[in-house]
Amino acid sequence: MNVFLAEEHNKGRVAEVEKAERIVEEEVQSLELFLRRRWVEERLAGLLSY
């Protein structure tokens, strides 16, 4: 009986998990872009300090 309840509960959470996975993927992509920009800013700052 408990296994059945757990399976039913998990089925109801599939949509929530998929939504969370999409959010994480978007955040990872945003982080990658941020880090690339930051890297460029640091390199430019080094060049402009001369």
Side-chain angles (χ1 to χ4, degrees):
M1 183 68 177
N2 286 337
V3 173
F4 176 74
L5 290 175
E7 289 175 359
E8 288 300 312
H9 177 72
N10 288 340
K11 286 180 188 175
R13 302 212 39 177
V14 169
E16 293 176 40
V17 170
E18 290 173 348
K19 181 179 177 183
E21 288 173 343
R22 286 191 301 272
I23 291 171
V24 168
E25 184 61 33
E26 290 173 6
E27 291 296 320
V28 168
Q29 289 174 359
S30 295
L31 178 60
E32 182 180 357
L33 181 59
F34 171 80
L35 292 173
R36 288 175 185 265
R37 287 179 178 164
R38 183 71 183 136
W39 183 85
V40 169
E41 289 172 356
E42 289 178 359
R43 295 306 176 264
L44 285 175
L47 291 174
L48 295 175
S49 66
Y50 285 104

